[in-house]
Amino acid sequence: MASTPPSKTALSLLDNIAELSDGLKHGRPGAREGLLGACANLISELSHPSETMLQLLWAQPTHLNTLWMAVEIKLFQALEASSESGSTVADIAKRCDKDVDPVLVGRMLRHLAAMGTVRETGPDTFAPTATSKAFAEPAYQDSILYIAENFQPVHQALPSYFRERSFKSPDSGVDGPFQHAYNCKGSHYFEYFQKSNPEMGRRFASMMESWSRGRPRWFYEDYYPVKERLISGAEKDAPFLVDVGGGSGHDVEGLREAFERQLPGKLVLQDRPEIIELAKLGAGAEGMPHDFLIEQPVKGARAYFLHSIIQDWNDEVNTQILKAIVPAMKKGYSKVLVNDFVVPNQGAHWAQTCLDWELMASLGARHRTEAEHRTLYEGAGLKITGIWRHPQSLDSLIELELA
């Protein structure tokens, strides 16, 4: 491309990158995340439209396809045995799961190296990276398979879905793009997993587990002040926290381990019976099968916790979920904690916008702004008493009490 003088935006981004780089060197919170965003914006600003087209329409789709193939032949596991200086394509191919053509392995590795997933150390020689080592783990492998094999049909079906519905945004969990793609109108996303494709559901759950890695947890001291807002003033031996729709207990166990012997009461994990059976909970925590659309059976808990629940449902269902909790709450004592995304009115991060699109495609759901969250909770008889955000996280902790 012909060289042109940098734009004012590019020059401003360069200054911002220099400042953030200094912050990263000195351990300033949020510098890493800011640097990632600024560098991405600079690439976008400097790229010619044809370069952007090649990246979006050629490089990224073939990258996903190559990742899918890599899972099929256990390429990332084969690469793990390589030293820092790397292994030859021929040696890596011998370690793959199938009798795969070394020429094909070489083509895959070259694209993976070009995309930064593996490291090219010499002619036909490749070494693992932190990313490729992670991609050898079962949870990441499941994530690749879920997106590439199970969810791509939903993306492919979006144009026909919207043409049939005059391009109106979906607002139903049983008649959305997912149901259109899989011809299962009337069945919810999670119901489809349970009844029609348990392996797809297992992959999804595994993907959610890998998604949570490396992210600040809501109970971290510099995120939400658990001691000040929950432990202080809590009644001894009363239910302390109920994790409503909490899956296999990721949050309950994390909280229990972080505040071992400091929690004044028990932790309760609630979800569908088959999910509760999979939970492995430590002392002071118990599992309880419960449908969150039915009145909450645990009365007077200090907190009722909803992690990524509100984002999965429309306002009508969410109001029903919240109203099922309200009768169990003790006024002036009990809280509802919502760990979810609060989308800014301007400058939303790509992780928020892409997940919002995935929520629409899978669940007919969406992320909400602060005003939309507030309106939803007020309609259920609750009020927001605080919103906490971590400088290195994109989600929020919304604290609610009875209005």
Side-chain angles (χ1 to χ4, degrees), residues 160-212:
S160 63
Y161 171 85
F162 282 113
R163 281 196 296 267
E164 288 183 9
R165 290 157 178 80
S166 303
F167 293 89
K168 293 181 180 178
S169 189
D171 191 32
S172 170
V174 295
D175 187 19
F178 180 85
Q179 287 75 23
H180 178 73
Y182 278 91
N183 193 29
C184 60
K185 183 178 178 180
S187 292
H188 192 270
Y189 184 65
F190 298 124
E191 184 183 5
Y192 179 85
F193 292 164
Q194 184 180 357
K195 293 183 177 179
S196 304
N197 199 330
E199 174 61 11
M200 185 176 178
R202 189 196 65 78
R203 287 176 178 176
F204 171 82
S206 192
M207 180 177 69
M208 290 296 97
E209 189 271 328
S210 64
W211 177 63
S212 68

Side-chain angles (χ1 to χ4, degrees), residues 109-366:
L109 286 167
R110 276 188 283 277
H111 188 47
L112 291 171
M115 300 301 289
T117 303
V118 305
R119 189 162 51 89
E120 192 170 17
T121 58
D124 291 325
T125 307
F126 298 87
T129 63
T131 298
S132 70
K133 289 177 181 178
F135 284 177
E137 297 174 18
Y140 284 96
Q141 299 245 307
D142 286 335
S143 303
I144 292 167
L145 290 175
Y146 176 80
I147 293 298
E149 185 174 4
N150 299 130
F151 208 70
Q152 278 301 105
V154 182
H155 287 293
Q156 296 294 328
L158 281 171
S160 63
Y161 171 85
F162 282 113
R163 281 196 296 267
E164 288 183 9
R165 290 157 178 80
S166 303
F167 293 89
K168 293 181 180 178
S169 189
D171 191 32
S172 170
V174 295
D175 187 19
F178 180 85
Q179 287 75 23
H180 178 73
Y182 278 91
N183 193 29
C184 60
K185 183 178 178 180
S187 292
H188 192 270
Y189 184 65
F190 298 124
E191 184 183 5
Y192 179 85
F193 292 164
Q194 184 180 357
K195 293 183 177 179
S196 304
N197 199 330
E199 174 61 11
M200 185 176 178
R202 189 196 65 78
R203 287 176 178 176
F204 171 82
S206 192
M207 180 177 69
M208 290 296 97
E209 189 271 328
S210 64
W211 177 63
S212 68
R213 296 182 187 180
R215 300 171 62 208
R217 309 288 295 281
W218 68 274
F219 48 77
Y220 284 3
E221 189 174 345
D222 53 354
Y223 195 152
Y224 176 72
V226 172
K227 290 181 181 179
E228 175 190 333
R229 305 295 297 183
L230 297 183
I231 295 178
S232 177
E235 297 174 0
K236 191 176 181 181
D237 298 326
F240 181 70
L241 181 137
V242 182
D243 190 352
V244 182
S248 58
H250 179 69
D251 284 293
V252 160
E253 278 301 283
L255 178 66
R256 188 186 65 79
E257 291 171 2
F259 292 91
E260 193 171 8
R261 292 187 296 275
Q262 298 180 57
L263 303 180
K266 67 180 179 181
L267 303 173
V268 180
L269 172 69
Q270 295 179 337
D271 213 301
R272 300 192 307 274
E274 68 274 15
I275 300 298
I276 293 298
E277 287 180 9
L278 300 174
K280 297 178 181 179
L281 304 175
E286 65 179 49
M288 176 187 292
H290 174 61
D291 180 347
F292 56 34
L293 296 176
I294 298 172
E295 184 172 327
Q296 175 59 240
V298 181
K299 309 297 183 182
R302 181 61 161 155
Y304 299 89
F305 179 71
L306 300 167
H307 191 173
S308 298
I309 300 294
I310 298 300
Q311 68 175 21
D312 286 352
W313 304 90
N314 61 27
D315 286 352
E316 181 182 355
V317 175
N318 275 321
T319 299
Q320 191 176 348
I321 292 170
L322 294 167
K323 284 187 173 182
I325 296 172
V326 165
M329 297 175 69
K330 184 186 296 186
K331 192 171 180 63
Y333 176 77
S334 299
K335 303 175 187 292
V336 173
L337 304 178
V338 175
N339 193 188
D340 214 320
F341 281 71
V342 179
V343 181
N345 292 321
Q346 181 179 354
H349 191 275
W350 62 263
Q352 295 171 321
T353 56
C354 76
L355 183 54
D356 178 66
W357 191 261
E358 298 286 53
L359 288 171
M360 178 196 71
S362 57
L363 298 164
R366 62 190 173 90

Side-chain angles (χ1 to χ4, degrees), residues 70-148:
V71 174
E72 290 287 327
I73 66 171
K74 290 186 167 53
L75 175 60
F76 295 123
Q77 289 89 333
L79 194 62
E80 278 190 301
S82 303
S83 65
E84 284 294 312
S85 58
S87 297
T88 65
V89 168
D91 286 340
I92 295 169
K94 288 177 185 176
R95 296 196 291 262
C96 287
D97 188 47
K98 296 177 171 59
D99 185 20
V100 61
D101 181 3
V103 174
L104 175 61
V105 172
R107 298 172 77 173
M108 294 171 66
L109 286 167
R110 276 188 283 277
H111 188 47
L112 291 171
M115 300 301 289
T117 303
V118 305
R119 189 162 51 89
E120 192 170 17
T121 58
D124 291 325
T125 307
F126 298 87
T129 63
T131 298
S132 70
K133 289 177 181 178
F135 284 177
E137 297 174 18
Y140 284 96
Q141 299 245 307
D142 286 335
S143 303
I144 292 167
L145 290 175
Y146 176 80
I147 293 298

